[in-house]
Amino acid sequence: MIVGVQPLAGFDKLLHYQVPAALRAEIRTGSLVRIPLGHRQHLGLVMAVNAIADCAPEKLKPLTAVVHDYPALTADLIGLAKWMHTYYAARMESVLEAMIPGAVRDGARLKTEKYLSLVRELTTTEAAGLAKRAPQQARLCTFLTQQIGPVKKSLVLTRLGLTAAVVAALVKRGLVTEVARSVERVAYADNWTGGEVVNGLPPPLNREQSTVVDSVAASLSKEKFAVHLLHGVTGSGKTEVYLRAVEQVLAAGGSAIYLVPEVALTPQTVARLRGRFASAGHQTVVWHSHLGEGERLDGWTALASGAARVVVGARSAVFAPMRDLRLIVVDEEHEPAYKQDETPRYHGRDVAVYRAKLAGCVCLLGSATPSLESFANVQAGKYQLNVLTKRVDDKQLPDIHVVDMRIEVVRQRGLVTLSRLLVDHMHRRFERKEQIILFINRRGYSSSMQCRKCGHVEQCPHCSVAMTYHRADETLKCHLCGHARGAPAVCPACAAPDIRWRGLGTQRVEEAVRRVLPRARLERMDADTMAKKHLFRQILGDFRAGKIDVLIGTQMIGKGLDFPNVTLVGLVDADLSMHVPDFRANERTFQLLVQVAGRAGRGDRAGEVVVQSFTPKSEAIQFARHADYNGFAEVELAMRKKFNYPPYRHLIHHLFRGPNQEKIKFFAEHWVKQVEQELGGVVEIRGPAPAPIEKVKDEYRYQIWYFCARATTVVPALVRLQGAVKWPADVTQVLDVDPMSLV
Ligand code: ADP
Ligand code: ZN
């Protein structure tokens, strides 16, 4: 028997090995194996069983071990790996490394211990029969009945004086399960639920929810590939729909993946799933980058071995080794956080849809502000649309007040952090002991230029994106097409002087709040806080428990969190996300406003939102104010169509970087000519142009954008063309397919 193995050893080539007779029974496609390579042992993945070797079979070396007795990659994951390798132009090894956690790849190194537990209690007749035919097995069953949880196998065997064969026999009968746990496992950090009261009993569905649940249930029972897009306003009870779908899958013996965009959202979701399914004996596995090695290994093992059938996690949980996958839920599917910004640069939602296709299962995407990509897929008839138009219990959506900061600046004579309206509302809510969230937009940065009198932002005449301000040479540049002009000294629209934009930091806002509400308990949550592993959980926990009155933070607190006592949300600088040089800027702003507003008034009291902006009449703000998603989507899609931007075409980003600016520029320009020659008919090229941040860590950066109808054909063509060029060692290139951010 010969197998094709992809080594995890730093190169992309399938190697062939003999399988020794003793290992043949265990080997499967997707098995993690040890292989001799050079003078060392490496890990590899079996990509093909009964492969045809490219040399005489007797010359092949035998592989040395099979690491687990179940495959590390299921058949659909292997298909997915191949697709990601081609679609995202990612090295096969990097894809496999993303799929199989480091702890598992090192799995052989981490010591594991087997634990036993009883699958179910025996009936009296069964017990009597077993006691007669196999007294030792009966003794083990009785012992396990008396235990509260799983017990260490080695301990049980010595204690009862039994052999492993007794356990094996019971496992075969399906009465006992054996689960491997790593010895160095850390306590489950995810037991933290943020103080949320979790109700195990499902609430009765309202009429809209029932319709959606039935529609998804119909797809699930067909056991075929289908994608549903659940568009439900904030607080409409989308989670309940996901839970019902998961419930149906578990009842049918299948398994489910539940993706959330942020690690910060996993505890809340895990608590909800455990609250619902733990009593039925289902283990919910948590999967994200903040886990310890031991926890990760345990979680992975539980899923791969079939002991657990539900996983909740951020992006990479889409690769969980599920058996009989029936459902993938992608909550907040519009979130750019689903896109990974390092190799392999995949989009978690898109990968989820593709995996569902390979596995022949249902993918359920949900959002209050669906991405225009997904919405266009609904219009094209590829996805089924389900809607929840009302908040649960007919709670009102919050009122959104838009403050015109141009007027505010004149009124208060100078740079304003908090408008009068916002301050008034803060006083009122604080006195009533209600909670406040102030939101600062960190997406934009000072490189866009906005007039503080009229709000004008200069756009590229060719690309419909904001121009980037370069302080060094006082120019405005479009980083899509390279169009440049001198930076204006006065506003081109209203001729006001001094149009430099200065953003607000979280700290500035904090100082302003302290002046306004000196007695309030404040907490800041930004990138610095997030860096500390448990701090964000603690802050969110304290906030939920009412120990904090005002929470100030960036995007992360705008996402999906459910705090019933928050009645006022302020968005301090709505403009910053709108005037970044990105064609998705409007979509981001709209999403941000609706999502942020969605944090207010989720409890019994009505909520309010104050949005501060220098361009209060802009479409994104106006549509968000009226919670009009369809109106927004229509206008925005028309704009995308006009410029032929995604979702109507794919976008690919190509970055060149290196220490020598001339060289980078030369190679980028030379390359563009080649692409034009070879692929001119199928791609539209913009650039090369200097990247918005031209120099990072002493490396100069140039970029090219390709627009194309089909990434599946263009990406491999680009890769082939790259292979035909001899590149100098100090020119590094990065291809990013379907990038979610242009800045
Ligand atoms: P969304 O995700 O749509 O913003 P959630 O799923 O967080 O909204 O639901 C908002 C709140 O409504 C949650 O506290 C949830 O428990 C509750 N809820 C959901 N469905 C129902 C229902 N049918 N009856 C009563 N409460 C519900
Ligand atoms: Zn341009």
Side-chain angles (χ1 to χ4, degrees):
M1 186 198 240
I2 294 166
V3 288
V5 176
Q6 164 71 48
L8 300 174
F11 57 92
D12 258 11
K13 191 172 185 300
L14 203 67
L15 302 178
H16 291 96
Y17 287 89
Q18 291 274 10
V19 184
L23 299 178
R24 268 175 213 172
E26 286 174 59
I27 212 114
R28 249 158 287 169
T29 316
S31 293
L32 190 66
V33 291
R34 287 186 177 291
I35 46 171
L37 195 67
H39 295 291
R40 297 184 50 198
Q41 290 281 317
H42 283 277
L43 286 172
L45 275 152
V46 176
M47 301 300 272
V49 177
N50 290 323
I52 316 262
D54 42 15
C55 65
E58 58 276 9
K59 281 196 190 151
L60 297 177
K61 288 189 196 162
L63 53 85
T64 31
V66 182
V67 179
H68 307 105
D69 48 13
Y70 36 79
L73 291 181
T74 51
D76 60 327
L77 280 175
I78 290 182
L80 196 65
K82 288 179 181 160
W83 175 74
M84 286 175 66
H85 168 60
T86 325
Y87 188 86
Y88 291 111
R91 283 157 32 90
M92 189 49 129
E93 188 183 17
S94 77
V95 173
L96 294 176
E97 280 176 1
M99 287 189 167
I100 306 172
V104 177
R105 282 181 272 122
D106 303 345
R109 190 173 58 74
L110 276 181
K111 210 169 147 239
T112 61
E113 196 98 56
K114 292 215 165 130
Y115 280 72
L116 300 180
S117 55
L118 207 59
V119 175
R120 59 175 176 85
E121 297 237 352
L122 277 67
T123 61
T124 343
T125 33
E126 268 181 324
L130 196 63
K132 227 200 231 141
R133 279 178 285 115
Q136 292 194 323
Q137 292 179 31
R139 229 159 27 96
L140 182 53
C141 282
T142 315
F143 178 79
L144 290 176
T145 316
Q146 291 153 356
Q147 310 304 313
I148 308 164
V151 270
K152 225 191 264 183
K153 181 176 174 184
S154 55
L155 215 76
V156 179
L157 296 184
T158 20
R159 199 83 177 261
L160 302 182
L162 300 172
T163 62
V166 179
V167 175
L170 283 170
V171 170
K172 212 167 158 204
R173 277 178 205 265
L175 288 172
V176 167
T177 53
E178 239 184 27
V179 176
R181 284 189 183 177
S182 58
V183 176
E184 298 128 75
R185 75 199 294 274
V186 203
Y188 264 66
D190 49 84
N191 278 341
W192 181 91
T193 62
E196 185 175 23
V197 183
V198 181
N199 193 343
L201 286 178
L205 298 176
N206 62 34
R207 195 181 299 165
E208 279 194 330
Q209 281 173 318
S210 304
T211 310
V212 178
V213 167
D214 290 348
S215 158
V216 175
S219 288
L220 283 173
S221 50
K222 283 190 199 135
E223 297 187 26
K224 279 211 291 251
F225 171 58
V227 185
H228 284 253
L229 175 65
L230 172 54
H231 174 206
V233 300
T234 55
S236 59
K238 292 186 284 297
T239 313
E240 191 55 41
V241 173
Y242 306 148
L243 291 178
R244 299 292 175 115
V246 172
E247 186 178 17
Q248 184 182 344
V249 164
L250 289 176
S255 64
I257 297 175
Y258 190 132
L259 299 181
V260 291
E262 283 283 327
V263 176
L265 289 171
T266 46
Q268 175 177 301
T269 310
V270 169
R272 285 178 176 175
L273 282 156
R274 290 198 175 145
R276 190 64 61 83
F277 304 119
S279 56
H282 293 293
Q283 184 190 340
T284 301
V285 168
V286 191
W287 185 297
H288 56 66
S289 53
H290 290 191
L291 293 181
E293 291 246 300
E295 282 174 293
R296 189 180 292 273
L297 184 61
D298 284 354
W300 187 90
T301 309
L303 295 169
S305 65
R309 293 193 274 131
V310 193
V311 63
V312 176
R315 198 196 301 134
S316 62
V318 74
F319 303 128
M322 314 305 282
R323 292 187 173 185
D324 193 10
L325 181 63
R326 304 268 181 103
L327 171 70
I328 308 178
V329 171
V330 185
D331 191 18
E332 312 285 353
E333 65 86 27
H334 65 280
E335 274 295 338
Y338 277 118
K339 174 83 190 204
Q340 172 146 304
D341 56 10
E342 56 193 54
T343 328
R345 296 166 193 273
Y346 66 95
H347 195 300
R349 176 201 59 219
D350 298 346
V351 170
V353 171
Y354 202 82
R355 185 171 181 190
K357 189 171 167 185
L358 290 175
C361 76
V362 173
C363 188
L364 174 53
L365 312 176
S367 173
T369 51
S371 64
L372 292 177
E373 280 79 4
S374 295
F375 197 67
N377 277 325
V378 168
Q379 290 183 330
K382 291 185 194 161
Y383 297 179
Q384 267 170 266
L385 180 68
N386 298 111
V387 290
L388 295 174
T389 58
K390 292 193 212 58
R391 278 192 161 179
V392 166
D393 291 340
D394 284 323
K395 269 171 212 151
Q396 294 299 303
L397 279 169
D399 283 330
I400 302 185
H401 310 280
V402 180
V403 177
D404 189 337
M405 292 303 275
R406 294 170 301 186
I407 299 173
E408 204 71 19
V409 165
V410 177
R411 259 214 228 152
Q412 300 196 25
R413 294 198 191 86
L415 190 66
V416 184
T417 308
L418 304 174
S419 61
R420 285 186 197 178
L421 186 78
L422 182 53
V423 170
D424 286 348
H425 282 298
M426 284 170 66
H427 277 297
R428 202 167 311 144
R429 297 297 175 174
F430 178 64
E431 268 151 34
R432 287 198 227 149
K433 299 201 166 30
E434 294 167 10
Q435 288 174 300
I436 302 166
I437 297 180
L438 290 186
F439 193 81
I440 298 160
N441 205 329
R442 268 290 185 78
R443 252 188 73 78
Y445 45 93
S446 55
S447 66
S448 63
M449 210 179 212
Q450 182 173 35
C451 174
R452 257 184 283 141
K453 186 144 173 256
C454 75
H456 175 81
V457 173
E458 195 74 348
Q459 303 260 318
C460 171
H462 312 293
C463 302
S464 162
V465 297
M467 309 239 329
T468 308
Y469 171 53
H470 292 249
R471 200 179 303 261
D473 54 358
E474 281 293 315
T475 53
L476 287 178
K477 283 184 194 150
C478 170
H479 75 252
L480 267 183
C481 69
H483 176 80
R485 51 164 293 189
V490 299
C491 173
C494 77
D498 184 23
I499 70 164
R500 304 283 150 73
W501 172 262
R502 268 176 237 108
L504 299 160
T506 33
Q507 235 163 343
R508 249 195 95 101
V509 175
E510 184 179 354
E511 283 158 25
V513 175
R514 283 203 194 286
R515 277 195 300 276
V516 174
L517 296 176
R519 285 179 299 119
R521 293 159 299 174
L522 305 188
E523 200 61 67
R524 250 194 314 151
M525 223 165 96
D526 46 27
D528 306 336
T529 342
M530 270 306 269
K532 300 203 186 83
K533 192 171 150 183
H534 291 294
L535 194 55
F536 75 94
R537 292 176 160 198
Q538 192 193 329
I539 293 179
L540 291 181
D542 286 353
F543 191 57
R544 194 184 293 283
K547 291 182 202 158
I548 297 168
D549 303 306
V550 184
L551 188 60
I552 303 169
T554 48
Q555 276 92 321
M556 71 199 64
I557 54 175
K559 286 175 191 166
L561 294 169
D562 189 11
F563 297 108
N565 196 37
V566 172
T567 53
L568 175 62
V569 168
L571 183 51
V572 177
D573 50 2
D575 300 291
L576 275 185
S577 64
M578 205 149 41
H579 305 305
V580 290
D582 188 330
F583 66 86
R584 286 198 184 88
N586 281 335
E587 185 181 3
R588 291 277 172 273
T589 307
F590 178 80
Q591 287 166 348
L592 183 74
L593 258 62
V594 173
Q595 294 290 343
V596 165
R599 300 313 115 212
R602 293 173 75 94
D604 301 329
R605 280 156 299 219
E608 240 161 350
V609 179
V610 176
V611 174
Q612 306 190 148
S613 168
F614 285 94
T615 48
K617 289 284 179 285
S618 59
E619 267 157 11
I621 292 182
Q622 289 303 321
F623 281 119
R625 196 176 147 204
H626 298 110
D628 183 5
Y629 175 83
N630 292 330
F632 174 76
E634 192 183 317
V635 168
E636 188 62 20
L637 280 173
M639 192 282 280
R640 301 279 182 91
K641 184 111 214 175
K642 186 172 148 217
F643 283 89
N644 229 330
Y645 282 152
Y648 298 106
R649 275 195 302 183
H650 286 275
L651 179 59
I652 301 164
H653 180 238
H654 193 170
L655 182 78
F656 290 75
R657 59 179 167 82
N660 183 335
Q661 187 174 18
E662 283 308 306
K663 210 171 183 177
I664 295 299
K665 191 161 175 253
F666 172 82
F667 272 94
E669 279 167 0
H670 199 72
W671 166 257
V672 159
K673 287 201 191 100
Q674 254 177 309
V675 178
E676 227 149 44
Q677 224 165 47
E678 301 283 329
L679 301 166
V682 286
V683 290
E684 187 187 326
I685 306 167
R686 304 269 176 99
I693 305 171
E694 282 183 55
K695 196 174 161 187
V696 176
K697 291 187 192 145
D698 289 321
E699 288 196 322
Y700 293 90
R701 295 144 54 95
Y702 270 77
Q703 59 187 13
I704 303 167
W705 300 93
Y706 313 106
F707 288 91
C708 61
R710 287 176 56 82
T712 18
T713 48
V714 169
V715 177
L718 288 172
V719 172
R720 260 198 308 279
L721 209 53
Q722 268 181 328
V725 177
K726 200 159 164 25
W727 300 96
D730 59 351
V731 175
T732 309
Q733 302 176 58
V734 182
L735 274 177
D736 189 355
V737 182
D738 301 332
M740 284 312 278
S741 165
L742 271 64
V743 292

